[in-house]
């Protein structure tokens, strides 16, 4: 979608999309008391419910894995959607036509995206029905020859596009779809001819199982289109660089296992899933790229990157080696480790399953080797290692690749392996790597791009931090029980840096309409944003009033003074009054002031 969605429309989507209704369509929720609902978290495996939804505030939060946010955030995480996509889905669900502020790019008619999705679903039903027709015998023969019977074809939603160039258009026009919608969806061409004619088709779905487009294979020698495979052209919902075939089937297993297996074609995805490799996906009509990598990484999550893995099945030929090299250069998109699974016989997963059975496909994936090792071995093959200049050339090429590796802690290990492969001294290879790093231009970071470390996530069960946590919960959930200055509370009153960061956010954003939404938007980091959401959702111990708020703010200040007294007493014990009499007297006077301050706080609002 070109342009920016109108802010009022985003607010309307949030207002009309009840979070308990949306979440409830994916998670079984039960009443947890206090206006909250609980269920098993959809983002991690658990047996005891820790996933909490608070409809009155429009937030969810999991106290097990830390995921939290509003209804848009939930749909983003659950269905692996971008913010814009999630807003669009909720708008379609609520019957809201989004207004898009023009950014100079092409725009589309209001409601067009929804009609395109509906047209795709209708086309999928049409194509699937046509696979049963007498004309589709060649398509059925093709599928059967690859080990896919009628039941399997139904499972994967495979269809057939009739050779009559207007069959789909006639059917969908009769269902109320205009030519404009059909052309926008890429189902027909200008002039009205069906886009897919005489081909076997696979529906390409998003993680929410909505049909985005189709992939089609040539069946007949007299096909007007010479390309063996043909995909839906770019549409408002189909972007080939951002879609993966099989994602609807693999989404849950990818998240659960933190694994993704990348194969090259539609039949390879089918074969892998039938063989038990349920994390298999494929790019559609384009090479696997950076957007695909980011899509998978979002789905896999970033909580356990050392154990997550992305496995590519490449052929051992030059094309496969070039594809592996391209992926290696984009490896920084992954937090998970990357591997390559190469079948020595050169068979792809579909043919491998046909000739050797399901177990052979599983074994192919199990034999994976690290991507960097595959790439370095292929670099070595391209040089004459019997010659000194050949070894040096291979070392330079390998070193240049290693200089771009994201995790520098791995470089030493890789360098040792490269030197062993080349039969060179490791120090010589290390010198080439050092030269390569100096040749590489440094990224230009602006002042705002300098990464700032987030404070550590506080333990919600730490009794020493309970007062700080409860005070922030009161501020976020019952702000009207405090005065405009938040009862004179300061960030320094919080001992944990994360809690202090949340308070600074509260103090900086004036209270008013849609306050929690504005707080989330202004949060300086994801950690602060998620912690704020957790504090908004977590139930209070009792009904709040101004006295209760005053007690918390006074106790918070008292705790700060108590810490200061303890620190000062420690310094006094280490200060010799004979060697530093003035310093000792100053510290003693400061201690007296703090003790008086402590007594004052004990008398204020602590009944």
């Amino acid at each position: 979608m070109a342009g920016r969605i109108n802010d009022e429309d985003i607010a309307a989507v949030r207002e009309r999309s009840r979070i308990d209704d949306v979440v409830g369509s994916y998670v079984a929720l039960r009443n947890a008391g206090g206006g909250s609902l609980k269920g098993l978290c959809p983002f991690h495996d658990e047996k005891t419910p820790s996933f909490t939804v608070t409809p009155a505030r429009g937030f969810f939060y999991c106290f097990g894995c830390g995921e939290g946010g509003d209804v848009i955030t939930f749909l983003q995480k659950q269905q692996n959607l971008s913010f814009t996509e999630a807003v669009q889905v909720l708008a379609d669900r609520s019957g809201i036509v989004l207004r898009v502020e023009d950014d100079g790019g092409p725009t589309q008619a209001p409601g067009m995206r929804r009609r395109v999705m509906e047209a795709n679903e209708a086309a999928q039903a049409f194509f699937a029905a046509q696979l049963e027709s007498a004309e589709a015998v060649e398509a059925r023969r093709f599928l059967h020859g690859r080990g896919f019977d009628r039941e399997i074809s139904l499972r994967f939603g495979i269809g057939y596009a009739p050779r009559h160039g207007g069959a789909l258009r006639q059917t969908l026009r009769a269902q109320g779809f205009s030519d404009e919608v059909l052309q926008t969806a890429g189902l027909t061409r200008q002039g009205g001819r069906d886009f897919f004619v005489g081909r076997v088709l696979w529906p390409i779905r998003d993680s929410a199982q909505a049909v985005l487009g189709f992939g089609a294979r040539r069946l007949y020698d007299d096909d007007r289109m010479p390309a063996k495979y043909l995909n839906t052209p770019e549409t408002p919902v189909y972007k080939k660089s951002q879609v993966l075939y099989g994602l609807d089937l693999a989404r849950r297993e990818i998240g659960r296992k933190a694994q993704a297996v990348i194969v090259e074609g539609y039949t390879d995805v089918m074969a892998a899933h039938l063989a038990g490799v349920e994390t298999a996906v494929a790019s559609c009509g384009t090479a696997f790229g950076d957007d695909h990598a980011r899509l998978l990484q979002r789905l896999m999550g970033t909580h356990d990157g050392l154990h997550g893995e992305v496995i590519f099945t490449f052929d051992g030929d030059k094309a496969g080696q070039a594809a592996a090299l391209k992926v290696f250069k984009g490896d920084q998109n992954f937090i998970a480790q990357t591997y390559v699974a190469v079948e020595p016989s050169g068979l792809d997963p579909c043919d491998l399953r046909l000739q050797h059975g399901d177990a052979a496909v599983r074994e192919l994936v199990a034999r994976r080797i690290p991507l960097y090792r595959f790439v370095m071995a292929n670099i070595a093959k391209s040089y004459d290692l019997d010659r000194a200049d050949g070894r040096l050339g291979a070392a330079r090429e390998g070193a240049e690749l290693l200089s771009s590796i994201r995790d520098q802690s791995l470089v030493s290990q890789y360098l040792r392996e490269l030197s062993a492969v080349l039969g060179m001294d490791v120090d010589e290879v290390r010198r080439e790597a050092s030269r390569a790093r100096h040749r590489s231009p440094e990224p230009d970071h602006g002042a705002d791009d300098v990464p700032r470390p987030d404070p550590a996530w506080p333990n919600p069960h730490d009794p020493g931090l309970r007062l700080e946590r409860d005070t922030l919960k009161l501020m976020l959930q019952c702000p009207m029980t405090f005065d405009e200055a938040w009862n004179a509370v300061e960030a320094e009153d919080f001992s944990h840096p994360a809690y202090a960061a949340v308070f600074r956010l509260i103090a900086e954003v004036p209270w008013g309409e849609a306050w929690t939404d504005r707080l989330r938007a202004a949060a300086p980091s994801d950690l602060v944003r998620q912690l704020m959401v957790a504090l908004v959702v977590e139930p209070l111990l009792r009904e709040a009033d101004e006295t209760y708020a005053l007690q918390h703010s006074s106790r918070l200040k008292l705790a700060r003074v108590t810490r200061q007294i303890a620190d000062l007493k420690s310094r006094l014990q280490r200060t010799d009054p004979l060697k530093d009499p003035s310093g000792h007297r100053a510290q003693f006077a400061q201690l007296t002031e703090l003790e008086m301050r402590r007594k004052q706080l004990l008398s204020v609002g602590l009944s």
Side-chain angles (χ1 to χ4, degrees), residues 524-539:
S525 68
D526 287 339
L527 184 145
V528 174
R529 184 179 299 108
Q530 288 293 84
L531 180 56
M532 186 214 83
V533 171
L535 296 172
V536 168
V537 171
E538 193 173 304

Side-chain angles (χ1 to χ4, degrees), residues 493-514:
D493 293 331
F494 296 88
S495 63
H496 196 286
Y499 288 144
V502 172
F503 175 76
R504 281 192 291 269
L505 176 63
I506 291 172
E508 290 170 0
V509 179
W511 185 84
E513 185 178 353

Side-chain angles (χ1 to χ4, degrees), residues 53-327:
V53 176
T54 308
R57 298 190 182 93
F59 285 106
F60 75 91
Y61 186 77
C62 177
F63 292 93
C65 67
E67 294 285 5
D70 62 6
V71 66
I72 297 174
T73 309
F74 176 83
L75 202 61
Q76 283 183 262
K77 295 178 182 295
Q78 174 65 17
Q79 297 300 334
N80 192 31
L81 304 174
S82 67
F83 176 84
T84 299
E85 291 169 336
V87 172
Q88 290 171 333
V89 170
L90 291 171
D92 292 343
R93 177 183 176 131
S94 303
I96 297 173
V97 176
L98 298 175
R99 292 169 292 174
V100 180
E101 298 172 3
D102 188 11
D103 63 355
T107 59
Q108 63 189 50
M112 179 59 78
R113 180 183 182 278
R114 182 176 182 178
R115 289 297 284 165
V116 165
M117 298 288 276
E118 292 170 346
N120 283 339
E121 292 291 345
Q124 157 61 17
F126 171 81
F127 291 138
Q130 291 301 309
L131 188 62
E132 303 289 332
S133 68
E135 182 190 322
V137 62
E138 192 64 33
R140 294 193 295 271
R141 185 179 293 117
F142 167 83
L143 293 168
H144 187 268
R146 280 152 182 77
F148 307 133
D149 58 20
R150 181 177 183 275
E151 182 181 348
I152 292 172
S153 298
L154 287 172
R155 172 181 167 183
F156 287 89
I158 299 175
Y160 172 73
R163 303 191 75 176
H164 182 291
L168 176 67
R169 177 176 178 266
Q170 289 176 5
T171 301
L172 266 58
R173 286 276 294 173
Q175 295 179 21
F177 293 99
S178 68
D179 282 333
E180 181 186 9
V181 169
L182 298 181
Q183 287 184 27
T184 302
L187 295 171
T188 62
R189 303 176 184 274
Q190 285 188 347
R193 182 177 173 80
D194 291 349
F195 189 83
F196 299 109
V197 177
R199 293 192 172 224
V200 61
L201 287 100
W202 288 263
I204 300 168
R205 306 176 190 269
D206 63 14
S207 58
Q209 299 190 342
V211 179
L212 303 177
F214 300 89
R217 191 195 187 278
R218 194 170 189 258
L219 291 172
Y220 306 107
D221 292 339
D222 60 352
D223 193 318
R224 292 185 180 185
M225 301 298 295
K228 184 176 181 180
Y229 283 94
L230 185 65
N231 291 83
T232 295
E234 298 280 302
T235 75
V237 300
Y238 182 85
K239 312 292 182 186
K240 65 181 180 181
S241 65
Q242 300 172 13
V243 298
L244 292 167
Y245 174 69
L247 190 63
D248 56 315
L249 304 170
R251 175 179 60 84
R252 289 193 180 277
E253 287 302 301
I254 289 175
R256 188 176 72 84
K257 295 180 179 178
Q259 180 199 74
V261 177
I262 316 301
V263 297
E264 293 190 343
Y266 304 114
T267 57
D268 292 334
V269 171
M270 295 173 67
H273 279 262
L274 293 170
V277 182
E278 297 177 318
T279 58
V281 294
S283 55
C284 303
T286 186
F288 187 91
D290 293 347
D291 288 338
H292 296 126
R294 286 187 283 269
L295 175 67
L296 283 180
Q297 189 61 65
R298 288 202 307 270
L299 196 59
M300 294 174 66
T302 59
H303 60 283
D304 195 16
L306 290 178
H307 296 92
E309 55 184 24
V310 179
I311 304 167
F312 293 88
T313 58
F314 293 124
D315 292 336
D317 58 15
K318 288 186 177 181
Q321 294 169 21
L325 184 61
K326 182 178 186 297
V327 169

Side-chain angles (χ1 to χ4, degrees), residues 15-16 138 154 204 212 218 242 271 287 296 316 328 345 348 365 412 418-419 433 444 477 513-514 583 594:
E15 182 181 350
R16 294 193 202 175
E138 192 64 33
L154 287 172
I204 300 168
L212 303 177
R218 194 170 189 258
Q242 300 172 13
L296 283 180
F328 185 86
S345 65
D348 59 32
V365 175
S412 293
L418 178 60
S419 64
D444 182 18
Q477 298 181 33
E513 185 178 353
L594 287 173

